[in-house]
Structure formats: C-alpha cells, structure tokens
Amino acid sequence: GNSVTQMEGPVTLSEEAFLTINCTYTATGYPSLFWYVQYPGEGLQLLLKATKADDKGSNKGFEATYRKETTSFHLEKGSVQVSDSAVYFCALNDAGKSTFGDGTTLTVKP
Amino acid sequence: GAGVSQSPRYKVTKRGQDVALRCDPISGHVSLYWYRQALGQGPEFLTYFNYEAQQDKSGLPNDRFSAERPEGSISTLTIQRTEQRDSAMYRCASSLGTSGRGTGELFFGEGSRLTVL
C-alpha cells in the first residue's frame, strides 16, 4: 500500500534560520504530493502541492519539489518566522485517496 | 457554508454508548472523507464518498464503525458500542474532484474530539 515517511520532530529553530523537513513516499500509482500545515488550535490546511515529477510547489516562502527518482518531497524555507510555528504534514493523493505522514512539529524562537 | 463544519466539536461518552459525528462539507464539493487522528500521528483514512456513494471503506476499523451521506452533502460517522480505544480526533474533509492527478486537495473541518470513558 501507499505510505509517507517524514522527518521526526520536534524541530526547534531560531528566527531567520533555514528549514528543511524531509518527506519520502511509496505509492503504487503516480500520486500528487502535498504539504499541509496545522497552526495551534486550528484544523489542517493546504500549504502547497505538486502534481507531477519535477514540479515545484510554493507558498508563503515555503517550497517543495516533486522528485520521482528519489520518491521525495522535502519542504524548505530560507528564513523562518515565529509565525511559522506549527505541525507540518506531508501527504500523497493516489486515485482519490490521501495518505498522510505523522507530522513534524516546528517551533521557531525569536 | 464557507468551510467544512463538524459537530460536535467535543464529545465525551461512556463506554458502550453510540455516538454520531456530523460533517457538513463545502457546498458543491463532490468528495467527502473521514479521517481519525491520534495524538502525535497523522490523519488515518477511514472512508470516503463521491456524492452519496461510499467509494472506499477499507479504513473503518471494524463493523462498529459506519458512515453515510444519503443526499450527497452532509455525512454522519456513527460508532456503535464505543470503546476507550475509539478516543481520538475525527476529521472530515471535502474536495472538489473525484480522482486523478491534479485533484486531491482536501479542505478540512476543525474536527470532533471524542473521549470515551
């Protein structure tokens, strides 16, 4: 079956530091890939997505590139802010069904 | 409504009681999904619908769990004879499309937290 493995947390960074959260996947088909974010006290919301190999999704300064050869979709941001503190979930969608990783908690300190 | 709405937000029940969790998706969204999320883990797929048809219920843990979406809009997830291990956050999500690459973006509600004593 399909699965998503993401970097274990928690991750603690200082403001303006560089962020990478690793995500790899296994899928039987050719999935679309997503990063969702959950801010404290809120539900999950889409951060960015990529639908085919070599596509780059980007939003709010975050980026991730669909790497089919390494089955990866790592999340990056060049300079994090305190407001980026949240739980980040990597996910894939294959034939209408989404599978999620276990989430990585990011805390950014001023 | 503007977003996915779930009720109740919090439910505390005694072991052995039945519970019903409700989800009102974004108007016009074809697909509706139910997920369960334990603390510190990602959402775990339970079941999903396209319109009123249940497409996949492979994630339902056992026959105490059932879901319906009779008119292709509001959905109810029912857990019969609840057990303590059923305690979790239950999340509903909806999406515009049905399948294929280029679709699959989910819009989540805020969840229903179930506690079984």
Side-chain angles (χ1 to χ4, degrees):
Chain A
N2 296 341
S3 67
V4 175
T5 302
Q6 59 181 105
M7 166 181 172
E8 289 187 16
V11 174
T12 302
L13 296 173
S14 297
E15 207 164 23
E16 300 183 1
F18 184 85
L19 169 71
T20 300
I21 302 178
N22 290 338
C23 172
T24 58
Y25 68 91
T26 58
T28 53
Y30 191 164
S32 294
L33 302 177
F34 302 83
W35 277 99
Y36 288 84
V37 60
Q38 183 175 19
Y39 297 105
E42 299 183 13
L44 281 80
Q45 58 186 274
L46 180 71
L47 179 60
L48 54 83
K49 68 178 181 182
T51 59
K52 62 183 187 296
D54 299 325
D55 267 4
K56 178 186 283 187
S58 61
N59 186 27
K60 299 182 180 181
F62 290 89
E63 294 183 339
T65 301
Y66 191 142
R67 300 290 187 200
K68 196 166 187 292
E69 64 277 12
T70 54
T71 62
S72 65
F73 193 54
H74 304 321
L75 182 68
E76 296 183 337
K77 185 173 186 181
S79 177
V80 294
Q81 304 301 312
V82 172
S83 58
D84 294 327
S85 298
V87 183
Y88 293 82
F89 293 92
C90 185
L92 65 84
N93 185 282
D94 186 11
K97 185 172 163 181
S98 289
T99 303
F100 288 79
D102 282 340
T104 301
T105 300
L106 170 66
T107 301
V108 180
K109 296 188 173 180
Chain B
V4 178
S5 178
Q6 291 187 244
S7 61
R9 291 286 310 280
Y10 302 91
K11 177 69 177 179
V12 179
T13 191
K14 292 183 179 179
R15 186 180 53 175
Q17 298 295 306
D18 297 351
V19 297
L21 307 177
R22 183 178 184 270
C23 174
D24 191 354
I26 293 173
S27 178
H29 276 196
V30 168
S31 302
L32 184 148
Y33 301 78
W34 284 100
Y35 284 83
R36 180 170 67 175
Q37 187 176 11
L39 201 61
Q41 296 184 9
E44 172 194 12
F45 172 81
L46 295 178
T47 184
Y48 89 97
F49 297 81
N50 286 337
Y51 301 102
E52 72 282 359
Q54 192 169 22
Q55 299 293 315
D56 185 337
K57 56 180 182 178
S58 62
L60 295 176
N62 50 61
D63 60 8
R64 296 186 297 105
F65 287 73
S66 63
E68 62 175 9
R69 193 186 185 197
E71 298 179 359
S73 180
I74 292 170
S75 176
T76 302
L77 176 70
T78 301
I79 309 172
Q80 296 180 311
R81 304 181 303 281
T82 53
E83 301 178 4
Q84 286 186 330
R85 60 180 170 155
D86 300 334
S87 297
M89 176 71 83
Y90 289 83
R91 297 195 183 275
C92 176
S94 66
S95 71
L96 271 170
T98 54
S99 64
R101 294 189 298 113
T103 62
E105 174 183 349
L106 298 180
F107 294 81
F108 281 88
E110 292 189 345
S112 292
R113 180 167 295 284
L114 173 66
T115 302
V116 182
L117 302 177

